[in-house]
Amino acid sequence: MCSSDLFLTPALLRLGYAAMGGQHLVEIAMEAMRPLRDEVRETVLVGALRGGEGVILAQLPGLHQFRYTVDAGVFHSLHTAAPAKAILAARPAAERAPVLAAMAFPRLTSRTLTTRAAFERELERVARDGYAVDRAEEFEGVHCVGAVVRDLHGHPEAAVWVTGPAERMPRSKFAWFGARVKACADAITERLGGSPGHGPDAGG
């Protein structure tokens, strides 16, 4: 079930470099992701957006005997995923609008956001709190908490997130996870030469 945390196909390598303007996101991200994984003990992932979907670039499997893992290269929907929410919430309105206009909002669980209006309200919350969540919106019983990573120009190009069972990541601990994931994402941004929260589009 678990794929290697450092194996990337040529296509993912190209995407990783393209997302960060020539600096390899995964190589830089792993340094910050390991301490986060060791603290929260859940699976930590890094990914980016490609077209109308999100794509997983790499992961560090959690330390529990039972843990969720997803192969690198797997795509995910934008309207359910914490990383996609984190990236879109940080993008300027003019850049975000065409993406939202092209999105579909199929219901995957009872908690899925199924309208653009609801999704836009969610993005406002993400921008305010500094982290995004997936409340079992794509898979029953699976929660995620993610935060945006900016490139050296301050543009939101990627995200880091933690995923695990709802029992170990209850809503009551979202803020706790959010603070740690955001600190990890900010550390990656700084290693990329950027300034967390101070890109040209900060505040949307």
Side-chain angles (χ1 to χ4, degrees), residues 31-111:
E31 299 176 14
M33 288 166 58
R34 286 192 177 92
L36 173 63
R37 189 276 310 273
D38 293 346
E39 179 179 10
V40 304
R41 299 182 62 81
E42 303 293 350
T43 298
V44 180
L45 306 98
V46 60
L49 301 188
R50 192 172 81 175
E53 295 179 296
V55 62
I56 295 167
L57 295 175
Q59 68 176 333
L60 285 173
L63 301 178
H64 294 282
Q65 184 174 4
F66 174 79
R67 58 189 180 269
Y68 291 108
T69 61
V70 186
D71 290 336
V74 169
F75 288 88
H76 55 76
S77 301
L78 300 185
H79 71 302
T80 60
K85 294 176 185 178
I87 295 170
L88 289 174
R91 289 190 171 176
E95 184 178 330
R96 189 168 59 233
V99 178
L100 296 179
M103 285 175 60
F105 297 88
R107 182 178 296 281
L108 303 178
T109 74
S110 62
R111 287 160 294 281

Side-chain angles (χ1 to χ4, degrees), residues 141-165:
V142 182
H143 284 174
C144 304
V145 180
V148 68
V149 172
R150 297 176 181 270
D151 64 17
L152 74 168
H153 303 295
H155 194 262
E157 289 287 359
V160 172
W161 69 103
V162 175
T163 185

Side-chain angles (χ1 to χ4, degrees), residues 100-141:
L100 296 179
M103 285 175 60
F105 297 88
R107 182 178 296 281
L108 303 178
T109 74
S110 62
R111 287 160 294 281
T112 303
L113 302 175
T114 58
T115 67
R116 176 172 173 172
F119 189 69
E120 288 182 322
R121 288 194 295 271
E122 177 76 352
L123 295 184
E124 291 174 0
R125 186 204 64 76
V126 174
R128 181 182 68 247
D129 294 347
Y131 64 89
V133 301
D134 170 358
R135 310 170 190 84
E137 295 163 42
E138 184 167 5
F139 299 107
E140 292 288 353

Side-chain angles (χ1 to χ4, degrees), residues 161-178:
W161 69 103
V162 175
T163 185
E167 291 79 5
R168 293 200 304 255
M169 293 182 62
R171 293 191 182 203
S172 61
K173 293 192 69 176
F174 279 171
W176 184 88
F177 279 99

